[in-house]
Amino acid sequence: MIFPRIQFATLLIATAAASMPALAQSTPELASKPGAVVTTPHVRAELVAHAPDGVTPGAPVWVGLQIAHQPEWHTYWKNAGDSGLPTEMTWTLPAGVSTGEIAWPAPKKIPVGSLANYGYENTVLLPVPLEVSTLYKPPVALGGTPAMDIQLKASWLVCRKECIPEEGTFTLALPLQGSTALHKAEFDTALAARPQPLARPGAVEVDGHSLKVRLEGLPAAAQGKTLEFFPETPEVIRTAAVSGKDWTQSWQGDTWTATMPLADQRSASPTVMPVVVTLPEADRQAGQPIAWRAEAPVSGAWPAAAAPRAAEVSPALQAALAANAANAGAAKAAELPAPSSTTFMAALLGALLGGLLLNLMPCVFPILAIKVLGFARQAGNASAHRKAGLAYTGGVMLSFLALGGGMLALRAAGAGLGWGFQLQSPGVVAALAALFTLIGLNLAGVFEFGRAAPSSVCSAQARHPLANDFLSGVLAVVIASPCSAPFMGASLGFAIGLPAAQALLLFVALGFGLALPYLVAGFVPAVAYLLPKPGPWMGTLRRLLAFPMFATVAWLVWVLGQQSGIDGAGTLLALLVCMAAVVWALTLRGRTRLVIAGVLIAFTAVLTAAIGRNVLQVVEPAKLASAATKDGAGQRWQPWSAERVAQLSDAGRPVFIDFTAAWCVTCQYNKKSTLSDEQVLADFDAKKVAMLRADWTRRDPAITAALTALGRSGVPVYVLQAPGKPPVVLTEILGKDEVRAAIAAL
């Protein structure tokens, strides 16, 4: 029997079952267990409360998140400035209790290179008022002090040179009776730092590419001082401009006026601007107001706003924005206008071409070879060709929809995932290795499906032949997902920022491109005439096709070795040998079959229980020496990190980043050819280019965020960046001439 295709059903069900734990584990881990305090390597966050008169309707009750930062780290104000994101809070409270807005303390300006952020260092408390109505029903205390249960889920972005998105779940039992004044001093300090409202609104005038601000009625403590200015509307002014012709301020009595430049990439044109001014830190006095706020009407015509250019933001800041967008779902970097129809059509065309070129990727060859064999079996049957082509196309497109929908849903839930994410799970890699081992054994003639499966399953093959073609389309998508073809990377990265319906259309176009050659072959009779007639050659070809399958198994075992170490790879090989022995035993006849198969199955079960965990373990890779700064004599490739990129950029060195993964065949080809070429390496050395490698073999949220910031969702991605210049993203199929030309242009 020539490779019975109905066996795809049983094998793919097993593969899908193995994939489910990986999907379940892809959601982000909370930074805390429920409690009042969360401690991370960068902050200590605590849920605190202040109820001086107890918890009763109408009484002042405050709760808040107090964040103590490690030295040099900071979090953000409601307007984060040039980068970053504000802290977000979601409360769970009893019926009859509600929260007001965060009473944001006045921030400070935090320079970051040529940019500036607005945020907090050291320790800050973000107070929130609780409103207790008469509808609140206090709980009945059974032997103890009655208390109100408060739960908070908060997320914050904490940054130094690199940025880390963090979150935590907090719970607090707030006593209802008596005074809760444990944190009175902290709340007094935070509320004193809250901007005080001015009696008059002031005014803002747009004058060309400058903004003129006038605030009236400022108190004597502020008059004559050099004030800091903070607009609550983001991305309106150039935040880093502080002096000289770009920024001026002056006083006339209690009226303060200032002129400042508009942002080059302005994203808002408000009619009313809430603004805050603060005293310099040297002029502040304990217990006295330090900041004032006004809601100023805007006059004048705003100039046309330019579209944001993400490439002008440093990779470290791009990674921070994208990482927090994935975890908080509200990144400013994602607040872009809807794409034009022309842009979307170009992305659709790119996805179609990318899917078409996937057929030329090495990881798809084994399945295409099997499809050609099946096509040859039906030579002369035009109707069967058409039905098989449609069924295969349906399997491919529905699988792309399912894979794309799952990836988009998990990213929306906060998981940092990208194209090929399922192969970041050792369990999925092991399941695929087992699947391809079985396929290879079948092609080699070790077993026939009809001798190892019930007769009812075998008869289903004859009744439902189209199901086999459909399932072969599913399998094609499973093994094609690690590959990224030209045009495909940009389209998939573009899809991440689109509404779900448009994003899924891109996945449909990608699937249609992958299935198109076989679909055309089914509907164009001339293709059938090019194939040889069925004959003995098909048995030889069938056995020959077993070797690409075994080569795929060898590759998958190597991938697993990158994730689970040498013990994991060795365990998988041992279990694959046991599985092959069990399959062989099931082909025997009589009582011999039962005895030998039973012994082998029992031995395999014991071996799995004893060492099977080695396959699923994740071993951290050996870290390269980070102290080495010279690439030639020591290790040429250094491990990537956003912090390392920032350090090299500050030192004036250009950087080449290889976003790669062990399971990406295209990555390995580029690595062994172009990136190992002596002329290319000599050009890198001549320009003193630092070479960084971002290994995405295991799930890594920081790398996922960096890829998202570059508009990509899979590997390979190659980036060349000189200090002060936008990054240059090279093509997926990396050519020597392309790399050398990019280096020469530095």
Side-chain angles (χ1 to χ4, degrees):
M1 182 183 296
I2 301 294
F3 189 54
R5 288 170 284 175
I6 194 64
Q7 64 183 302
F8 277 125
T10 306
L11 299 175
L12 283 173
I13 289 173
T15 304
S19 303
M20 294 308 294
L23 298 181
Q25 294 171 0
S26 60
T27 54
E29 296 181 359
L30 290 178
S32 72
K33 297 179 180 179
V37 179
V38 170
T39 301
T40 76
H42 316 103
V43 305
R44 180 187 185 274
E46 182 178 6
L47 175 59
V48 295
H50 177 50
D53 300 322
V55 181
T56 58
V61 180
W62 288 89
V63 292
L65 184 66
Q66 183 171 269
I67 303 177
H69 305 83
Q70 291 293 329
E72 301 183 4
W73 292 84
H74 62 270
T75 54
Y76 294 92
W77 187 51
K78 60 166 67 177
N79 170 16
D82 283 323
S83 65
L85 285 168
T87 298
E88 294 188 351
M89 303 184 195
T90 302
W91 299 89
T92 301
L93 301 169
V97 183
S98 60
T99 61
E101 297 294 327
I102 299 174
W104 293 94
K108 66 176 296 185
K109 185 177 289 186
I110 304 172
V112 183
S114 61
L115 308 176
N117 296 332
Y118 302 146
Y120 308 102
E121 296 176 324
N122 302 318
T123 299
V124 65
L125 173 61
L126 304 179
V128 176
L130 283 189
E131 300 172 6
V132 183
S133 74
T134 56
L135 299 177
Y136 171 63
K137 303 298 182 183
V140 177
L142 299 176
T145 303
M148 176 193 295
D149 290 329
I150 299 172
Q151 182 172 326
L152 167 66
K153 184 172 183 180
S155 62
W156 58 90
L157 183 68
V158 57
C159 297
R160 188 172 57 179
K161 288 185 177 180
E162 67 274 31
C163 290
I164 310 295
E166 297 180 340
E167 61 180 0
T169 299
F170 306 79
T171 58
L172 183 67
L174 179 60
L176 301 182
Q177 300 173 355
S179 173
T180 305
L182 179 62
H183 297 282
K184 179 180 184 300
E186 290 93 329
F187 277 94
D188 288 347
T189 301
L191 294 175
R194 180 175 50 172
Q196 304 299 307
L198 291 173
R200 284 171 281 181
V204 171
E205 178 188 358
V206 180
D207 183 11
H209 290 278
S210 297
L211 203 67
K212 296 183 177 180
V213 180
R214 186 180 77 254
L215 299 180
E216 303 170 343
L218 287 159
Q223 293 172 23
K225 303 294 194 301
T226 300
L227 303 183
E228 288 280 3
F229 177 78
F230 301 94
E232 292 187 6
T233 306
E235 299 178 354
V236 172
I237 68 167
R238 194 184 306 162
T239 59
V242 293
S243 62
K245 63 183 180 64
D246 289 334
W247 173 279
T248 60
Q249 58 175 291
S250 61
W251 285 93
Q252 289 185 340
D254 66 352
T255 300
W256 177 81
T257 58
T259 301
M260 60 205 71
L262 293 177
D264 296 330
Q265 310 299 325
R266 196 185 81 256
S267 64
S269 302
T271 57
V272 175
M273 277 189 64
V275 297
V276 171
V277 290
T278 67
L279 282 173
E281 290 191 24
D283 295 321
R284 298 176 183 180
Q285 297 182 9
Q288 299 297 317
I290 64 169
W292 296 268
R293 181 181 185 272
E295 294 194 2
V298 180
S299 61
W302 292 96
R309 290 175 290 181
E312 294 187 353
V313 181
S314 71
L317 292 177
Q318 287 178 356
L321 289 171
N324 205 66
N327 284 273
K332 294 185 299 181
E335 295 175 357
L336 301 177
S340 65
S341 57
T342 303
T343 304
F344 181 64
M345 291 304 296
L348 278 177
L349 179 60
L352 178 66
L353 292 175
L356 193 62
L357 291 173
L358 265 183
N359 289 285
L360 303 178
M361 299 294 105
C363 49
V364 187
F365 284 165
I367 293 302
L368 291 184
I370 292 174
K371 294 309 299 175
V372 170
L373 180 60
F375 196 77
R377 291 183 61 215
Q378 299 170 341
N381 191 338
S383 176
H385 288 167
R386 289 191 293 270
K387 291 179 181 178
L390 289 172
Y392 174 76
T393 302
V396 168
M397 295 178 68
L398 287 178
S399 298
F400 265 107
L401 270 176
L403 195 59
M407 188 178 82
L408 294 173
L410 289 170
R411 286 184 71 112
L417 301 177
W419 185 244
F421 69 93
Q422 68 276 17
L423 286 185
Q424 293 174 332
S425 166
V428 174
V429 174
L432 286 176
L435 172 63
F436 279 93
T437 299
L438 289 174
I439 294 175
L441 292 173
N442 177 269
L443 289 172
V446 173
F447 77 99
E448 298 293 348
F449 188 67
R451 296 173 64 180
S455 58
S456 58
V457 176
C458 298
S459 62
Q461 178 189 353
R463 294 196 305 267
H464 307 288
L466 294 182
N468 302 290
D469 294 293
F470 177 87
L471 290 169
S472 62
V474 174
L475 185 59
V477 174
V478 169
I479 67 168
S481 56
C483 286
S484 182
F487 304 105
M488 178 178 160
S491 294
L492 288 181
F494 183 66
I496 298 302
L498 290 176
Q502 290 182 320
L504 290 177
L505 277 178
L506 288 179
F507 282 98
V508 169
L510 185 61
F512 185 73
L514 177 62
L516 187 58
Y518 192 73
L519 186 64
V520 170
F523 280 83
V524 179
V527 174
Y529 297 137
L530 297 177
L531 295 173
K533 300 300 181 182
W537 65 270
M538 296 178 65
T540 303
L541 178 60
R542 172 195 173 182
R543 287 165 173 77
L544 179 63
L545 290 177
F547 294 100
M549 293 298 168
F550 292 137
T552 303
V553 173
W555 165 63
L556 289 168
V557 171
W558 177 75
V559 170
L560 187 82
Q562 305 297 307
Q563 299 169 332
S564 301
I566 189 64
D567 289 343
T571 300
L572 178 60
L573 284 173
L575 293 177
L576 291 178
V577 171
C578 290
M579 183 188 69
V582 169
V583 169
W584 165 78
L586 291 175
T587 64
L588 302 176
R589 297 186 179 278
R591 296 184 61 183
T592 304
R593 167 181 176 174
L594 298 177
V595 173
I596 297 180
V599 171
L600 289 174
I601 290 173
F603 176 77
T604 302
V606 171
L607 187 65
T608 302
I611 63 173
R613 62 183 179 276
N614 293 339
V615 174
L616 301 180
Q617 69 184 357
V618 177
V619 178
E620 290 297 323
K623 294 183 178 180
L624 299 175
S626 59
T629 56
K630 295 183 179 181
D631 300 329
Q635 179 70 43
R636 177 180 293 277
W637 289 96
Q638 304 175 36
W640 173 91
S641 70
E643 183 179 20
R644 183 60 179 150
V645 173
Q647 290 172 350
L648 292 167
S649 180
D650 291 344
R653 291 192 63 183
V655 177
F656 179 81
I657 307 173
D658 173 17
F659 291 91
T660 184
W663 39 260
C664 170
V665 179
T666 310
C667 302
Q668 306 311 317
Y669 172 78
N670 291 334
K671 189 183 300 183
K672 298 300 182 183
S673 57
T674 302
L675 295 181
S676 297
D677 183 75
E678 292 184 0
Q679 292 180 323
V680 171
L681 295 178
D683 288 350
F684 277 127
D685 293 339
K687 294 285 187 176
K688 297 183 178 179
V689 178
M691 302 174 71
L692 307 183
R693 181 156 283 154
D695 191 344
W696 208 39
T697 301
R698 302 166 184 81
R699 192 167 296 127
D700 190 322
I703 295 178
T704 305
L707 289 170
T708 302
L710 292 166
R712 296 292 189 271
S713 66
V715 291
V717 174
Y718 304 100
V719 179
L720 183 63
Q721 183 174 16
K725 294 184 179 181
V728 177
V729 181
L730 307 179
T731 59
E732 290 90 341
I733 307 297
L734 202 59
K736 300 175 186 177
D737 293 340
E738 177 189 11
V739 178
R740 299 190 68 189
I743 297 172
L746 288 175

